[in-house]
Amino acid sequence: MAEVPIITIDGPSGSGKGTIARRVADALGWHLLDSGALYRLVAHAGHLRGLHPADEPGHARLAETLDASFETTADGGERVLLDGRDVTAAIRTEACGGGASRVAAMPAVRAALLERQRAFARPPGLVADGRDMGTVVFPGAALKIFLTASAEERARRRYKQLKDKGSSASLAALSLEIAERDRRDASRPISPLRPADDAVIVDSTSMSVDAVVARVLELADQARLAAH
Ligand code: C5P
């Protein structure tokens, strides 16, 4: 792991981590870890199997045995497969996000996903997106970004994303959902959402996607990562 250069991008829901991480990985030609998708897959698989939402050992077993794969679509998007079936849309719902944040508070689930996440670190490099990439999963990462935006702006972005996909959504309900998820992610005893001590905080509230990508690539350059 030590030789593979890693950039971690952590931050709250709706801060734009997913988009930024993918763009940075593409620009550098590196691999991408969407760790939130793993928690979403555990929640989704548990739901499909009728597990009780509070069944920690059951969800931990699912996390250990999860048959998950990630593909890049022709338009540069992500396709997520569970047991060979396309679950991309199913795991992106707000309900699944809520379920993910509940299973993510279970220590046995986090432990079961740890090595699976570390296995994504392969040459020439990895961009890892999540909540605890810089603090727990890749504490030795060469560059750690903590991406934030105001809660209002994050709810607005999520609203636009859902509308663009043709899903119905209410801005007020989304704001509440995001606030609740932030609270749960930041207050859980294990791997709470917080910037690593050596993270660079980037507030994207009034920045465009292009500007954030440029900033991260500039930081990667300064950390002499871009040459890899
Ligand atoms: O990033 P995304 O919204 O897909 O993550 C879904 C949920 O998974 C988050 O709300 C969080 O509770 C959990 N998560 C986590 N640690 C990560 C990534 C996601 O706890 N590294």
Side-chain angles (χ1 to χ4, degrees):
M1 186 173 100
E3 298 81 33
V4 180
I6 298 174
I7 298 176
T8 58
I9 305 185
D10 290 306
S13 315
S15 57
K17 296 183 311 289
T19 307
I20 304 299
R22 175 165 291 279
R23 290 269 305 267
V24 170
D26 285 350
L28 296 172
W30 289 7
H31 299 283
L32 177 70
L33 165 61
D34 172 2
S35 62
L38 292 174
Y39 289 96
R40 287 171 183 267
L41 281 168
V42 172
H44 185 62
H47 178 71
L48 290 179
R49 286 175 204 199
L51 285 192
H52 188 279
D55 178 352
E56 180 165 351
H59 282 95
R61 264 193 305 279
L62 280 181
E64 270 160 25
T65 55
L66 209 58
D67 172 12
S69 49
F70 297 85
E71 295 174 350
T72 302
T73 58
D75 62 355
E78 179 186 57
R79 183 182 295 128
V80 186
L81 306 176
L82 176 65
D83 297 324
R85 266 191 295 275
D86 187 340
V87 294
T88 317
I91 64 161
R92 291 294 156 211
T93 63
E94 283 306 296
C96 191
S101 112
R102 273 185 291 274
V103 300
M106 298 173 176
V109 169
R110 301 201 75 87
L113 290 180
L114 198 57
E115 287 313 314
R116 188 185 281 264
Q117 295 176 88
R118 289 186 174 152
F120 277 77
R122 279 175 288 125
L126 176 72
V127 179
D129 146 19
R131 303 292 187 293
D132 62 343
M133 298 295 99
T135 50
V136 176
V137 182
F138 301 112
L143 174 61
K144 302 178 182 178
I145 307 287
F146 193 82
L147 190 63
T148 62
S150 70
E152 297 76 28
E153 175 62 18
R154 291 186 285 121
R156 254 189 359 91
R157 288 179 189 168
R158 187 76 186 119
Y159 178 73
K160 185 173 176 304
Q161 218 176 36
L162 288 172
K163 279 272 163 186
D164 289 349
K165 277 194 222 152
S167 312
S168 64
S170 123
L171 188 56
L174 274 176
S175 301
L176 282 177
E177 273 270 348
I178 285 186
E180 171 58 16
R181 196 126 68 90
D182 281 357
R183 195 199 53 71
R184 199 162 31 211
D185 289 349
S187 65
R188 67 180 174 223
I190 178 168
S191 295
L193 173 66
R194 65 165 182 85
D197 292 338
D198 49 351
V200 180
I201 310 230
V202 177
D203 183 342
S204 73
T205 306
S206 49
M207 287 172 87
S208 67
V209 169
D210 284 349
V212 178
V213 171
R215 174 77 182 125
V216 175
L217 290 174
E218 181 187 36
L219 290 165
D221 207 29
Q222 285 165 9
R224 303 193 179 282
L225 286 171
H228 281 272

Tab-separated table of all heavy atoms in Angstrom, residues 193-220:
chain	number	residue	atom	x	y	z
A	193	LEU	N	-17.462	11.228	10.894
A	193	LEU	CA	-17.038	12.124	9.822
A	193	LEU	C	-16.288	13.305	10.429
A	193	LEU	O	-16.866	14.093	11.173
A	193	LEU	CB	-18.265	12.628	9.065
A	193	LEU	CG	-17.998	13.693	8.018
A	193	LEU	CD1	-17.159	13.130	6.879
A	193	LEU	CD2	-19.289	14.266	7.483
A	194	ARG	N	-15.013	13.405	10.155
A	194	ARG	CA	-14.223	14.564	10.602
A	194	ARG	C	-12.981	14.646	9.714
A	194	ARG	O	-12.519	13.622	9.191
A	194	ARG	CB	-13.825	14.446	12.076
A	194	ARG	CG	-12.901	13.296	12.380
A	194	ARG	CD	-12.244	13.442	13.760
A	194	ARG	NE	-11.320	12.326	14.003
A	194	ARG	CZ	-10.064	12.288	13.597
A	194	ARG	NH1	-9.542	13.276	12.903
A	194	ARG	NH2	-9.292	11.230	13.850
A	195	PRO	N	-12.456	15.848	9.521
A	195	PRO	CA	-11.256	15.952	8.683
A	195	PRO	C	-10.060	15.317	9.388
A	195	PRO	O	-9.942	15.419	10.612
A	195	PRO	CB	-11.045	17.463	8.547
A	195	PRO	CG	-12.215	18.135	9.166
A	195	PRO	CD	-12.928	17.141	10.017
A	196	ALA	N	-9.179	14.651	8.635
A	196	ALA	CA	-7.915	14.179	9.198
A	196	ALA	C	-7.120	15.407	9.613
A	196	ALA	O	-7.300	16.496	9.065
A	196	ALA	CB	-7.150	13.385	8.142
A	197	ASP	N	-6.229	15.242	10.603
A	197	ASP	CA	-5.457	16.391	11.083
A	197	ASP	C	-4.660	17.043	9.958
A	197	ASP	O	-4.437	18.255	9.959
A	197	ASP	CB	-4.482	15.948	12.189
A	197	ASP	CG	-5.235	15.525	13.452
A	197	ASP	OD1	-6.403	15.957	13.607
A	197	ASP	OD2	-4.682	14.746	14.251
A	198	ASP	N	-4.221	16.214	9.012
A	198	ASP	CA	-3.397	16.748	7.923
A	198	ASP	C	-4.191	16.942	6.633
A	198	ASP	O	-3.608	16.997	5.546
A	198	ASP	CB	-2.180	15.837	7.679
A	198	ASP	CG	-2.561	14.363	7.564
A	198	ASP	OD1	-3.734	14.024	7.836
A	198	ASP	OD2	-1.687	13.556	7.192
A	199	ALA	N	-5.516	17.068	6.737
A	199	ALA	CA	-6.334	17.269	5.529
A	199	ALA	C	-6.354	18.738	5.118
A	199	ALA	O	-6.270	19.630	5.955
A	199	ALA	CB	-7.758	16.784	5.775
A	200	VAL	N	-6.489	18.961	3.820
A	200	VAL	CA	-6.697	20.314	3.306
A	200	VAL	C	-8.205	20.485	3.163
A	200	VAL	O	-8.868	19.688	2.506
A	200	VAL	CB	-6.034	20.483	1.916
A	200	VAL	CG1	-6.259	21.906	1.394
A	200	VAL	CG2	-4.557	20.146	1.972
A	201	ILE	N	-8.762	21.524	3.800
A	201	ILE	CA	-10.210	21.732	3.728
A	201	ILE	C	-10.535	22.583	2.504
A	201	ILE	O	-9.945	23.650	2.323
A	201	ILE	CB	-10.717	22.427	5.017
A	201	ILE	CG1	-10.163	21.660	6.208
A	201	ILE	CG2	-12.239	22.574	5.001
A	201	ILE	CD1	-11.042	21.235	7.270
A	202	VAL	N	-11.417	22.076	1.663
A	202	VAL	CA	-11.838	22.825	0.477
A	202	VAL	C	-13.337	23.061	0.602
A	202	VAL	O	-14.122	22.109	0.644
A	202	VAL	CB	-11.509	22.045	-0.823
A	202	VAL	CG1	-12.030	22.798	-2.048
A	202	VAL	CG2	-10.009	21.781	-0.951
A	203	ASP	N	-13.731	24.326	0.692
A	203	ASP	CA	-15.160	24.668	0.787
A	203	ASP	C	-15.655	24.993	-0.620
A	203	ASP	O	-15.257	25.996	-1.207
A	203	ASP	CB	-15.347	25.866	1.719
A	203	ASP	CG	-16.825	26.203	1.910
A	203	ASP	OD1	-17.666	25.759	1.092
A	203	ASP	OD2	-17.137	26.928	2.872
A	204	SER	N	-16.529	24.113	-1.131
A	204	SER	CA	-16.935	24.249	-2.538
A	204	SER	C	-18.243	25.015	-2.707
A	204	SER	O	-18.788	25.037	-3.808
A	204	SER	CB	-17.088	22.855	-3.153
A	204	SER	OG	-18.253	22.229	-2.656
A	205	THR	N	-18.740	25.651	-1.614
A	205	THR	CA	-20.058	26.294	-1.679
A	205	THR	C	-20.200	27.200	-2.899
A	205	THR	O	-21.182	27.121	-3.619
A	205	THR	CB	-20.344	27.110	-0.399
A	205	THR	OG1	-20.178	26.255	0.716
A	205	THR	CG2	-21.765	27.676	-0.398
A	206	SER	N	-19.200	28.038	-3.141
A	206	SER	CA	-19.344	28.933	-4.288
A	206	SER	C	-18.291	28.650	-5.351
A	206	SER	O	-17.850	29.551	-6.064
A	206	SER	CB	-19.300	30.392	-3.831
A	206	SER	OG	-18.196	30.573	-2.980
A	207	MET	N	-17.909	27.367	-5.466
A	207	MET	CA	-16.934	26.983	-6.507
A	207	MET	C	-17.608	26.086	-7.533
A	207	MET	O	-18.457	25.264	-7.170
A	207	MET	CB	-15.764	26.200	-5.882
A	207	MET	CG	-14.792	27.023	-5.070
A	207	MET	SD	-13.618	25.945	-4.202
A	207	MET	CE	-12.337	25.724	-5.445
A	208	SER	N	-17.194	26.185	-8.791
A	208	SER	CA	-17.704	25.271	-9.813
A	208	SER	C	-16.959	23.943	-9.691
A	208	SER	O	-15.896	23.871	-9.053
A	208	SER	CB	-17.465	25.860	-11.196
A	208	SER	OG	-16.075	25.896	-11.455
A	209	VAL	N	-17.526	22.901	-10.316
A	209	VAL	CA	-16.862	21.592	-10.313
A	209	VAL	C	-15.460	21.732	-10.913
A	209	VAL	O	-14.478	21.229	-10.351
A	209	VAL	CB	-17.702	20.556	-11.102
A	209	VAL	CG1	-16.911	19.280	-11.332
A	209	VAL	CG2	-18.994	20.245	-10.362
A	210	ASP	N	-15.372	22.442	-12.041
A	210	ASP	CA	-14.065	22.600	-12.696
A	210	ASP	C	-13.049	23.247	-11.758
A	210	ASP	O	-11.883	22.857	-11.728
A	210	ASP	CB	-14.198	23.489	-13.949
A	210	ASP	CG	-14.838	22.727	-15.107
A	210	ASP	OD1	-14.968	21.492	-14.997
A	210	ASP	OD2	-15.218	23.369	-16.097
A	211	ALA	N	-13.517	24.256	-10.996
A	211	ALA	CA	-12.598	24.961	-10.098
A	211	ALA	C	-12.117	24.034	-8.976
A	211	ALA	O	-10.947	24.068	-8.596
A	211	ALA	CB	-13.285	26.199	-9.520
A	212	VAL	N	-13.015	23.180	-8.468
A	212	VAL	CA	-12.604	22.265	-7.389
A	212	VAL	C	-11.614	21.230	-7.927
A	212	VAL	O	-10.588	20.947	-7.295
A	212	VAL	CB	-13.825	21.563	-6.743
A	212	VAL	CG1	-13.375	20.593	-5.655
A	212	VAL	CG2	-14.799	22.580	-6.156
A	213	VAL	N	-11.913	20.699	-9.123
A	213	VAL	CA	-11.005	19.706	-9.726
A	213	VAL	C	-9.627	20.341	-9.932
A	213	VAL	O	-8.598	19.742	-9.581
A	213	VAL	CB	-11.570	19.183	-11.074
A	213	VAL	CG1	-10.529	18.328	-11.809
A	213	VAL	CG2	-12.846	18.387	-10.840
A	214	ALA	N	-9.618	21.573	-10.444
A	214	ALA	CA	-8.338	22.256	-10.691
A	214	ALA	C	-7.568	22.441	-9.387
A	214	ALA	O	-6.353	22.255	-9.329
A	214	ALA	CB	-8.590	23.612	-11.357
A	215	ARG	N	-8.298	22.778	-8.316
A	215	ARG	CA	-7.652	22.982	-7.005
A	215	ARG	C	-7.022	21.673	-6.494
A	215	ARG	O	-5.895	21.665	-6.005
A	215	ARG	CB	-8.705	23.511	-6.022
A	215	ARG	CG	-8.251	23.646	-4.599
A	215	ARG	CD	-7.380	24.891	-4.408
A	215	ARG	NE	-6.902	24.989	-3.050
A	215	ARG	CZ	-5.609	25.103	-2.736
A	215	ARG	NH1	-4.689	25.169	-3.662
A	215	ARG	NH2	-5.244	25.193	-1.475
A	216	VAL	N	-7.776	20.578	-6.625
A	216	VAL	CA	-7.242	19.295	-6.135
A	216	VAL	C	-6.026	18.881	-6.960
A	216	VAL	O	-5.012	18.411	-6.414
A	216	VAL	CB	-8.337	18.187	-6.161
A	216	VAL	CG1	-7.752	16.840	-5.762
A	216	VAL	CG2	-9.501	18.552	-5.242
A	217	LEU	N	-6.106	19.088	-8.287
A	217	LEU	CA	-4.959	18.713	-9.137
A	217	LEU	C	-3.743	19.582	-8.828
A	217	LEU	O	-2.602	19.113	-8.854
A	217	LEU	CB	-5.337	18.809	-10.624
A	217	LEU	CG	-6.331	17.732	-11.089
A	217	LEU	CD1	-6.762	17.982	-12.534
A	217	LEU	CD2	-5.730	16.323	-10.958
A	218	GLU	N	-4.008	20.858	-8.475
A	218	GLU	CA	-2.913	21.756	-8.103
A	218	GLU	C	-2.252	21.251	-6.814
A	218	GLU	O	-1.025	21.204	-6.690
A	218	GLU	CB	-3.513	23.151	-7.899
A	218	GLU	CG	-2.549	24.237	-7.533
A	218	GLU	CD	-3.296	25.537	-7.180
A	218	GLU	OE1	-4.395	25.476	-6.578
A	218	GLU	OE2	-2.781	26.597	-7.509
A	219	LEU	N	-3.097	20.833	-5.851
A	219	LEU	CA	-2.559	20.295	-4.593
A	219	LEU	C	-1.791	19.001	-4.852
A	219	LEU	O	-0.756	18.733	-4.238
A	219	LEU	CB	-3.698	20.048	-3.586
A	219	LEU	CG	-4.344	21.321	-3.016
A	219	LEU	CD1	-5.678	20.996	-2.345
A	219	LEU	CD2	-3.397	21.981	-2.010
A	220	ALA	N	-2.290	18.182	-5.783
A	220	ALA	CA	-1.603	16.923	-6.121
A	220	ALA	C	-0.238	17.234	-6.725
A	220	ALA	O	0.753	16.559	-6.434
A	220	ALA	CB	-2.451	16.115	-7.102
